[in-house]
Every structure is written in C-alpha cells, then in structure tokens.
Amino acid sequence: MRVQFLALLCGTIGLGGTAMADVETLSADSAFQMSQKGELILIDVRTPSEWAMTGMPRDSVGATLQDIDFVARARGAVYGDLEQPVAVICKSGNRSTSAAEKLAAEGFAHVFNVTEGMTGHLGSGDGWIKRGLPTDPFNPPMR
C-alpha cells in the first residue's frame, strides 16, 4: 500500500519519470517453483553469518540488504535487466519488505516479497526451512 501511495505521489507532483512497481507477496513454495522454472531470480537479503547457519535457498543469490552495494548486486543478479522478476527473502519477512520496496524504487519492474522468510512469520507461513524446501550450503569466499 505504501509503495503504491509513493508511486502515486511522485507521479502527482512530477517526481521521477515512471511510477514504482507494486510489490507482491509470494509463498516460499511458489518462490521455489518459479525460481526452478527460471521465472524469477531469488535474492537472499540476510547476512553471511545467517547463510552459514541455515544455508541459502536453492539457486538463490546472496545480496545483504545492509551492504552499500545491495542494489548493484541485485542488478548484477539480473544482468541489468530490470524487467526480470525478482523475489526477496530474509529470516522472517521484515528485511525482505524493506528490500522489495528499495528494489521497486530503483526501477525493478516485477518485485515479489517472500514474507514468510526462511524461518516463518506469524500469519505469513511456516517458512522455507519448515516447509522442507532445499537449501544450498554457503561457502564463504577464500581470503
């Protein structure tokens, strides 16, 4: 709702050339199925220490929301194609909400938020892990 309001406000007062995309919610099951079919890129916005503890959703891309280059990493994940649908996931839906809004504001046209996250969120679902969806181990870069 807030994303839609901001888009309307910017259009009304003449800020920006295009309206922001609506952010849609997506279940963990749907995000997994769509990513496996190549219909979207799944971006895990948690921290490397969280990735190390639980693994990352199968075939996801890691881009920590708090990093200064978060948007650049997300753009890299879609090879600069802002029309490519993306879904964002975090631990329980809070950071992914911020990440989804940020990507929509930066011009990503099709943004989904996996609000149940990896561990579940009351009212949103059980989460990636409890649903038994596959994860990939996180292997930190060698120094």
Side-chain angles (χ1 to χ4, degrees):
M1 183 72 153
R2 184 171 52 182
V3 171
Q4 291 172 334
F5 173 74
L6 289 173
L8 178 63
L9 179 64
C10 288
T12 303
I13 60 176
L15 297 175
T18 59
M20 290 190 317
D22 291 336
V23 174
E24 299 179 47
T25 59
L26 199 59
S27 71
D29 287 324
S30 295
F32 174 66
Q33 291 168 3
M34 291 175 73
S35 70
Q36 293 305 291
K37 292 179 187 174
E39 297 173 352
L40 62 74
I41 302 297
L42 182 58
I43 302 173
D44 187 337
V45 302
R46 299 176 302 147
T47 64
S49 63
E50 290 173 290
W51 300 332
M53 286 189 298
T54 64
M56 298 173 66
R58 171 77 35 91
D59 299 328
S60 65
V61 174
T64 301
L65 175 61
Q66 295 88 346
D67 286 350
I68 196 162
D69 63 347
F70 167 71
V71 173
R73 285 180 180 257
R75 278 194 185 113
V78 297
Y79 300 104
D81 180 4
L82 301 185
E83 293 294 319
Q84 169 73 44
V86 296
V88 289
I89 190 170
C90 66
K91 179 180 178 184
S92 63
N94 293 321
R95 283 172 288 175
S96 63
T97 298
S98 296
E101 291 173 355
K102 188 172 208 169
L103 294 179
E106 290 291 330
F108 284 74
H110 308 285
V111 183
F112 297 91
N113 182 7
V114 183
T115 55
E116 64 189 276
M118 292 295 287
T119 61
H121 188 264
L122 186 62
S124 294
D126 290 334
W128 192 279
I129 295 168
K130 193 170 184 179
R131 289 181 184 272
L133 295 170
T135 58
D136 292 327
F138 171 64
N139 298 311
M142 300 295 287
R143 290 187 179 227

